[in-house]
Amino acid sequence: VQLQASGGGLVQSGGSLRLSCAAPGFALGFHATGWFRRAPGKEREGVSCIGSSGFRTYYADSVKGRFTISRDNAKNTVYLQMNSLKPEDTAIYYCAAQRTGRVRNDTPWDSIRAYDYWGQGTLVTVSS
């Protein structure tokens, strides 16, 4: 299984981007899906997560009120709308899927250990 993240790019501070996570040949709609990022010199961190139904969502404190995760199961795609971007949001963004549809409750949603499937990242650069 290979998830495909796209939509990254260069944007000015205060701007917006929308990332997409697609999964050709994999029924992403049955899996809780998350976004992670790794900034230069930092550990990978959880950004947001959404359950398979789209009803339950989670956000890191650093992005609450600015980022919105959503999904379109008919298109087998999960999105991350990023508004009011800051230079500290600069990172490679990855999408990942859990084995279950419900977000796991035995492992924190923002732990990489909760996810079984990963994709390549997409680079987001926010200039000041």
Side-chain angles (χ1 to χ4, degrees), residues 41-56:
K42 294 188 177 181
E43 296 290 322
R44 192 176 301 194
E45 65 170 346
V47 175
S48 185
C49 178
I50 186 168
S52 60
S53 67
F55 176 73
R56 194 172 294 275

Side-chain angles (χ1 to χ4, degrees), residues 27-63:
L28 190 61
F30 291 106
H31 298 265
T33 307
W35 286 96
F36 285 74
R37 66 186 181 186
R38 189 177 72 233
K42 294 188 177 181
E43 296 290 322
R44 192 176 301 194
E45 65 170 346
V47 175
S48 185
C49 178
I50 186 168
S52 60
S53 67
F55 176 73
R56 194 172 294 275
T57 58
Y58 303 81
Y59 295 94
D61 288 342
S62 58
V63 306

Side-chain angles (χ1 to χ4, degrees), residues 28-34 49-53 71 78 96-104 114-115 117:
L28 190 61
F30 291 106
H31 298 265
T33 307
C49 178
I50 186 168
S52 60
S53 67
R71 66 190 311 150
V78 172
Q98 298 189 2
R99 194 171 295 274
T100 57
R102 282 190 176 186
V103 178
R104 292 176 60 173
Y115 297 82
Y117 310 105

Side-chain angles (χ1 to χ4, degrees), residues 1-127:
V1 177
Q2 186 71 22
L3 307 183
Q4 299 175 352
S6 61
L10 174 63
V11 64
Q12 288 188 331
S13 181
S16 299
L17 282 174
R18 188 177 78 158
L19 305 184
S20 298
C21 176
F26 179 70
L28 190 61
F30 291 106
H31 298 265
T33 307
W35 286 96
F36 285 74
R37 66 186 181 186
R38 189 177 72 233
K42 294 188 177 181
E43 296 290 322
R44 192 176 301 194
E45 65 170 346
V47 175
S48 185
C49 178
I50 186 168
S52 60
S53 67
F55 176 73
R56 194 172 294 275
T57 58
Y58 303 81
Y59 295 94
D61 288 342
S62 58
V63 306
K64 277 181 183 176
R66 300 188 299 121
F67 291 11
T68 303
I69 192 170
S70 63
R71 66 190 311 150
D72 184 340
N73 288 340
K75 294 183 178 179
N76 207 39
T77 302
V78 172
Y79 303 99
L80 184 69
Q81 177 67 43
M82 305 186 297
N83 298 329
S84 302
L85 282 161
K86 305 175 181 180
E88 51 263 44
D89 294 317
T90 294
I92 299 173
Y93 284 72
Y94 303 86
C95 61
Q98 298 189 2
R99 194 171 295 274
T100 57
R102 282 190 176 186
V103 178
R104 292 176 60 173
N105 57 14
D106 58 342
T107 307
W109 70 266
D110 57 351
S111 169
I112 62 174
R113 295 182 291 108
Y115 297 82
D116 299 281
Y117 310 105
W118 291 83
Q120 91 294 352
T122 185
L123 177 62
V124 172
T125 304
V126 184
S127 63

